[in-house]
């Protein structure tokens, strides 16, 4: 409907009842571990996090993999830069997998590039899986609650709160305008699509400004003051089973890291 | 229909041709450095570079908000608008689209430091709601898109206006160059993290900049045109 | 037998990320040339169904037939469908795109790539037909809600659709505006357009409709003659839509009065008045 | 005699850039402890009047009195007024700001600078009172319109205002949702809050109100007892708001029946039923 499917999924995930702070702590600990660790441990993290997301949180596999693949497009785009080296002909002294001569220069792919890319690939994969765990299991409203508890400046949390609320208001409007244009025969051909999109952006801006004016009155009626404090309710329940698994899992990962390469 | 309206219509069409050509899925969001791409040391470094600007930005907004509390609402709605613009053409979970569109415009309107706050928040939402970019790389992305971009936009705009250039030119140049600056900084960040074996950082910069030039240079031009259109429209409203 | 203009067969639809399906096996057809009403509570799937009607949403399961032929989900064919099936949204704010009244009316015509002369002429005609002549150059954000509704309708009718779908067209209008709207719809109907109005207002539904469909939770509950629906009080009550006021009044009347009036539930105050005037024994 | 809770004296207001004044010499008072309805067509100035009621707009001319004392247009005093006079907007989107239901309810309380314990307790109570307990942690953008309305009302009622102003609270709701809302308003009224609802729905107005004010073109046309308003058919008709359906039905009935029923226009079907059961001579 409106593309922000991630948000809807995160409110429906099966791990929603766990305290958000715990989930964020687990994900950040793993992220840190992944960024300093090595390939074997990173592979283990990918598997473990995939289990959390797909099995425990019940996020559809199709969506999880779509997320992974599209995110990896940045990695794919950067590949040529990482693999291909260039130098003056005759200066190349390393083992080469492929080479092309271009005048007095030579473009080549050194064997060492492959291992570099291999290492980078698993680091990004592992980080992505931790990132996915946050995206799919912690709704933004709860992230905001954690940020408040971490004593972020009030201004930051206030702005995030207003933005989060109005992102959905404006997305809905833009979606409806888009459907209306299509219903009236718009988006016919390339040029018309562009013109319609331009009109949509302009209209969206007008609506956004009107929303602001109305919101200003609405907030004034509720006694809008300097800060916008709110109180959140939790029905989170700690789960022995999941806490045990995360702690044991992290310890195992540290052991694995120490055993396969340690911190040299 | 007067002449300037005709001109702006043509501009709008040209702008959107470019914009949509380049914002098809897969290519468009290539400038958000993905989660885990940067090594820990560089990720931390860019966070450290970003934070002072962020704090300055918070201070400058705080000053505005003290006098006009309702500005908080306006800034929030403006941020939501910027996010929605960047999310408009989303086909799937992860979607297409680009950097916080309108950083240039925002910088001219709110000042560069306020933009560093707003821009980084848009980036955070892009990461959390659209899976563009990442959390550890948020610092690096914020430096290129929410700090350098707006600074360049603001500087160029002020400079051209002082020299006495036309306002439209100033807005166009500000937005387009802000985009280019963003792309250059991102390339530098990648080059620093992955220096080439021969030629080091410089060669690596050439490689990354070369790859992303295909999408980013035309994108900068289209963003410039788009910003001019919105600007015209704002003035007439 | 009336022919089936638009037919939905076993439609199923679930929004991505949504928990429950919005449409779950809905089958429904619209008889050509009738004034139809689609009754249902807010959130029962009426709007989603309408978007299936002109091809904006492709069914996830099931089929949509136009005059017996399945819709083709290709750009050119769909473009044609949006012209044949006019859709008026609940909130005119969501439908009005251009900045002035005349511009907005011409929007759909330009999309059809008609020559400018033809467009001009059609717009002129519609401006007069909907009493918008004086507002032709007015910016849209200066219009009142009633005027916006009228404009939204005009912008759709200028395309001369064969079927007009209206999503809650009377929501939020006052009684006077509602009367005017219904009169306009009658005029449209007389000119040969089939009209289907979605509403949750029982009074309007039974006063105006010649054919009634009732939806609940993504399914069809009833389709047929209004009088037939009225007699099935248990079904109407189970929908929590309330009863038409006239029915309530009717039921409250003593049996003897009812018998004297002929026994049929009146569908509008006018009808009641007529029944009473026939019975002028009083 | 009932005391005057809120009183507007000769209000005039013109929006900057607007052609016509929205309020042109409006005087009106709200009796304490009554269920009041403000009737008027769309665009007659109801919303502007409400914004005067809690001090958000300072009158350009005229005065606003709260319990006989003029409002003070200073920040602290106004903050207090917004607490005493709760205002529920027509579009709940404009009033909801936080990310989840419980958070939004607590928002107004923090503006009052209450201790956190008190706030928690009040929020809990309101969550239960408005049946929002299960949604406490739901994000606002997942709510339906009806739920958003309920939340907006809850967010205002948690401040325990003495006067509740509602701007078209039943717009876009279906009959079932409207019934629920009216029941909630009755409960609020029983607990001692004066309620003033702006609407253009005649049926709801006359069924629910104990006191009716009618506005037209920025002026007060009538204020008083509903029965009195109903008897003044000429005035009601000149407003183009239409008549309540029951009145129309009533008028259609033969004189003899009316006389037998007592002669007073019934204000709801229930009342009619009661009148008929008393007259069980049939």
């Amino acid at each position: 409907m409106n593309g922000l499917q991630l948000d809807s999924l995160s409110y429906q995930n099966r791990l929603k009842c766990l305290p958000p702070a715990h989930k964020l702590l687990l994900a950040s600990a793993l992220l840190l571990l992944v960024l300093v660790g090595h390939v074997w441990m990173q592979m283990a993290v990918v598997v473990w996090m995939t289990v959390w997301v797909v099995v425990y949180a019940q996020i559809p596999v199709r969506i999880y993999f779509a997320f992974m693949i599209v995110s990896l497009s940045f990695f794919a785009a950067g590949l040529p830069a990482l693999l291909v080296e260039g130098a003056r002909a005759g200066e190349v002294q390393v083992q080469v997998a492929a080479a092309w001569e271009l005048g007095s220069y030579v473009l080549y792919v050194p064997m060492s590039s492959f291992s570099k890319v291999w290492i980078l690939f698993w680091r990004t994969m592992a980080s992505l899986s931790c990132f996915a765990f946050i995206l799919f299991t912690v709704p933004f409203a709860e992230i905001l609650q954690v940020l408040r508890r971490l004593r972020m400046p009030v201004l930051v949390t206030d702005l995030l709160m207003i933005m989060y609320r109005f992102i959905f208001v404006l997305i809905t409007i833009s979606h409806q305008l888009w459907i209306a244009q299509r219903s009236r025969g718009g988006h016919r051909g390339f040029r018309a699509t562009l013109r319609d999109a331009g009109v949509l952006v302009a209209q969206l801006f007008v609506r956004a400004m009107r929303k602001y004016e109305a919101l200003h009155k609405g907030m004034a009626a509720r006694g809008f003051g300097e800060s916008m404090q709110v109180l959140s309710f939790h029905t989170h329940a700690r789960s022995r089973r999941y806490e045990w698994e995360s702690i044991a899992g992290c310890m195992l990962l540290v052991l694995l890291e120490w055993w396969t390469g340690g911190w040299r | 229909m007067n002449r300037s309206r005709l001109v702006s219509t043509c501009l709008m069409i040209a702008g959107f041709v470019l914009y949509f050509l380049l914002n098809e899925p897969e290519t468009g969001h290539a400038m958000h450095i993905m989660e885990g791409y940067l090594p820990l040391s560089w990720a931390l470094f860019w966070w450290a570079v970003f934070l002072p600007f962020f704090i300055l930005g918070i201070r400058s907004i705080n000053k505005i908000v003290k006098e006009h509390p309702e500005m908080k609402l306006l800034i929030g709605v403006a941020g939501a608008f910027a996010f929605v613009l960047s999310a408009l053409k989303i086909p799937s979970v992860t979607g297409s689209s680009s950097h916080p569109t309108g950083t240039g415009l925002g910088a001219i309107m709110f000042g560069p430091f306020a933009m560093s706050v707003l821009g980084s928040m848009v980036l955070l939402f892009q990461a959390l709601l659209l899976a563009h970019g990442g959390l550890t790389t948020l610092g690096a992305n914020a430096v290129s898109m929410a700090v350098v971009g707006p600074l360049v936009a603001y500087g160029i705009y002020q400079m051209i206006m002082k020299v006495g250039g036309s306002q439209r030119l100033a807005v166009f140049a500000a937005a387009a160059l802000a985009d280019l600056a963003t792309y250059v900084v991102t390339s530098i960040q990648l080059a620093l993290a992955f220096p080439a074996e021969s030629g080091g950082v410089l060669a690596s910069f050439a490689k990354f900049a070369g790859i992303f030039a295909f999408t980013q240079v035309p994108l900068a031009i289209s963003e410039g045109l788009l910003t001019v259109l919105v600007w015209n429209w704002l003035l007439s409203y | 037998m009336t022919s089936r203009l638009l037919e939905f067969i076993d439609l199923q639809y679930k929004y991505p990320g949504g928990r429950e399906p919005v449409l779950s096996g809905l089958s429904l057809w619209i008889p050509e040339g009738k004034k139809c009403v689609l009754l249902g509570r807010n959130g029962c799937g009426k709007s989603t169904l309408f978007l299936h009607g002109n091809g904006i949403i492709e069914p996830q399961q099931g089929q949509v037939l136009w005059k017996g032929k399945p819709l083709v989900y290709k750009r050119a064919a769909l473009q044609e469908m949006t012209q044949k099936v006019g859709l008026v949204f609940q909130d005119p704010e969501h439908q009005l795109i251009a900045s002035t009244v005349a511009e907005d009316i011409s929007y759909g015509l330009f999309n059809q790539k008609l020559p400018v002369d033809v467009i001009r002429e059609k717009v002129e005609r519609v401006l007069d037909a909907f009493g918008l002549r004086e507002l032709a150059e007015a910016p849209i954000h200066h219009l009142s809600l009633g005027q916006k509704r009228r404009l939204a309708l005009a912008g759709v009718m200028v395309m001369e659709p064969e079927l007009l779908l209206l999503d809650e067209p009377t929501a939020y209008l006052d009684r006077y505006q509602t009367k005017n709207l219904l009169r306009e719809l009658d005029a449209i109907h007389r000119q040969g357009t089939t009209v289907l109005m979605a509403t949750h207002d029982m009074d309007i539904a039974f006063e105006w409709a010649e054919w009634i469909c009732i939806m609940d939770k993504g399914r069809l509950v009833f389709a047929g003659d209004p009088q037939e629906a009225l007699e099935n009080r248990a079904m109407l009550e189970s929908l929590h839509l309330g009863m038409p006021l006239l029915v309530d009044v009717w039921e409250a009347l003593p049996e003897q009065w009812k018998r004297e009036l002929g026994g049929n539930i009146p569908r509008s105050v006018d009808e009641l008045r007529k029944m009473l005037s026939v019975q002028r024994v009083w």
Side-chain angles (χ1 to χ4, degrees), chain C residues 134-170:
Chain C
E134 280 169 33
L135 296 169
E137 293 302 311
I140 283 171
H141 58 270
H142 282 181
L143 303 186
S144 72
L145 177 76
Q147 290 169 332
K148 281 182 188 160
R149 277 261 160 78
R150 202 133 35 96
L151 173 56
L153 186 57
V156 169
M157 285 315 294
V158 77
M159 312 282 288
E160 294 162 15
E162 293 177 49
L163 171 64
L164 179 64
L165 304 176
L166 300 123
D167 196 355
E168 305 271 0
T170 60

Side-chain angles (χ1 to χ4, degrees), chain A:
Chain A
M1 178 170 166
N2 54 29
L4 296 185
Q5 210 181 344
L6 263 177
D7 184 73
S8 305
L9 284 171
S10 69
Y11 283 100
Q12 291 167 33
N13 86 83
R14 291 292 174 83
L15 296 178
K16 190 172 179 293
C17 51
L18 298 184
H22 289 198
K23 284 181 279 191
L24 288 177
L25 188 66
L26 174 64
S28 8
L30 286 180
L31 260 178
L32 192 69
L33 208 58
V34 160
L35 284 182
V36 298
H38 294 85
V39 174
W40 288 108
M41 186 270 294
Q42 287 162 345
M43 287 177 179
V45 168
V46 173
V47 173
W48 195 35
M49 280 288 104
T50 305
V51 169
W52 276 89
V53 172
V54 176
V55 181
Y56 300 160
Q58 295 271 306
I59 299 297
V61 183
R62 195 174 46 80
I63 290 174
Y64 178 70
F65 279 114
F67 159 82
M68 281 300 211
I69 287 167
V70 180
S71 297
L72 278 173
S73 69
F74 181 89
F75 180 81
L79 266 185
L82 293 175
L83 285 175
V84 180
E85 299 275 348
R88 274 175 196 288
E91 282 181 5
V92 181
Q93 284 148 3
V94 291
Q95 224 185 340
V96 167
W100 305 269
E101 277 187 39
L102 277 177
S104 60
Y105 284 88
V106 63
L107 292 180
Y108 64 99
V109 181
M111 291 308 268
S112 58
S113 289
F114 288 115
S115 65
K116 223 167 57 182
V117 167
W118 177 252
I119 288 169
L120 181 62
F121 175 74
W122 284 107
R123 190 173 76 211
T124 52
M125 277 297 282
S127 316
L128 271 182
S129 62
C130 301
F131 185 43
F133 177 69
I134 297 179
L135 296 192
F136 286 117
T137 67
V138 195
F140 182 78
E142 295 181 358
I143 293 185
L144 197 56
Q145 289 160 13
V146 175
L147 287 181
R148 285 203 187 98
R149 252 183 292 159
L150 290 177
R151 315 235 157 234
M152 280 293 252
V154 180
L155 182 66
V156 176
T157 51
D158 284 358
L159 283 178
L160 285 177
M161 182 170 89
I162 301 170
M163 276 176 71
Y164 184 63
R165 174 88 187 86
F166 274 82
I167 279 171
F168 291 94
V169 174
L170 295 181
I171 282 264
T172 310
I173 294 177
S174 70
H175 183 68
Q176 274 158 339
L177 285 174
W178 185 79
I179 285 189
Q181 287 182 332
R182 296 246 346 245
S183 293
R184 297 177 68 185
H187 301 260
R188 182 177 211 169
F190 192 60
R191 276 185 50 185
T193 306
L194 297 176
R195 195 192 59 217
D196 286 340
V199 171
L200 197 149
V201 170
Q203 284 289 340
L204 191 62
F205 184 81
V206 183
R207 310 284 159 98
M209 285 301 113
R210 293 234 189 94
K211 286 281 166 203
Y212 156 68
E213 280 159 19
L215 177 71
H216 180 33
K217 283 188 193 128
M219 288 300 105
R222 297 182 70 186
F224 177 56
E226 307 267 292
S227 85
M228 313 181 79
Q229 221 176 333
V230 293
L231 176 78
S232 35
F233 274 58
H234 310 285
T235 47
H236 300 128
R238 294 175 58 165
S239 146
R240 271 254 183 100
R241 183 216 164 295
Y242 285 122
E243 277 172 30
W244 182 86
E245 178 175 336
S246 12
I247 292 168
C250 285
M251 275 160 56
L252 274 179
L253 284 173
V254 172
L255 277 179
L256 178 68
E257 175 64 17
W258 172 75
W259 184 52
T260 58
W263 293 275
R264 276 168 291 189

Side-chain angles (χ1 to χ4, degrees), chain C residues 19 40-42 90-92 142 145-146 149 168 171-177 179 200-203 207 233 239-246 248-249 251-258 260-261 269 272-273 276 280 282:
Chain C
R19 238 169 282 190
R41 293 182 53 191
N42 281 337
Q90 180 183 359
D91 190 345
H142 282 181
L145 177 76
R149 277 261 160 78
E168 305 271 0
Y172 201 55
L173 292 186
D174 56 40
R175 191 71 74 80
Y176 179 71
Q177 293 167 322
K179 280 250 159 75
H200 54 236
D201 188 322
M202 283 286 198
D203 296 321
E207 186 176 336
R233 193 180 170 107
L239 296 171
H240 291 295
L241 276 163
M243 292 299 280
L245 203 85
L246 264 170
D248 274 343
V249 171
E251 308 252 307
L253 294 183
E255 281 304 320
Q256 194 197 337
W257 294 12
K258 282 194 255 182
E260 277 162 12
L261 289 175
V269 178
L272 178 68
R273 222 171 267 142
L276 284 163
R280 268 282 168 232
W282 314 90

Side-chain angles (χ1 to χ4, degrees), chain B residues 31-153:
Chain B
M31 282 317 267
H32 286 72
I33 300 178
M34 73 189 286
E35 183 63 68
Y37 204 73
L38 293 181
L40 185 63
S41 50
W42 282 111
L44 287 177
F45 173 79
W46 292 113
W47 269 104
V49 173
F50 165 63
L51 279 177
F53 289 98
F54 186 74
I55 291 163
L56 276 179
I58 292 283
R59 280 207 188 149
S60 93
I61 294 182
N62 255 333
K63 227 179 279 166
I64 302 172
V65 168
K66 274 253 159 58
E67 285 170 36
H68 311 281
E70 73 274 8
M71 281 301 280
K72 203 190 278 182
L73 300 174
L74 179 60
I75 294 174
V77 174
F81 176 70
F83 173 87
V84 171
L85 266 199
S86 76
L88 266 187
K89 281 210 53 161
I90 295 171
S92 69
V93 192
T94 39
S96 66
S97 192
S98 62
H99 46 87
T101 317
T103 36
L105 194 66
I108 297 168
M109 285 169 66
F110 295 116
F113 292 113
M115 248 345 257
S116 74
V117 177
L118 207 52
S120 55
M121 284 177 181
V122 172
L123 282 172
L124 179 69
F125 279 114
Q126 287 184 327
L128 292 176
L129 301 181
L130 303 175
H132 288 186
L135 295 175
T136 57
T137 52
L138 188 64
N141 286 330
V143 167
S144 64
M145 294 174 197
V147 173
V148 177
L151 274 178
V152 168

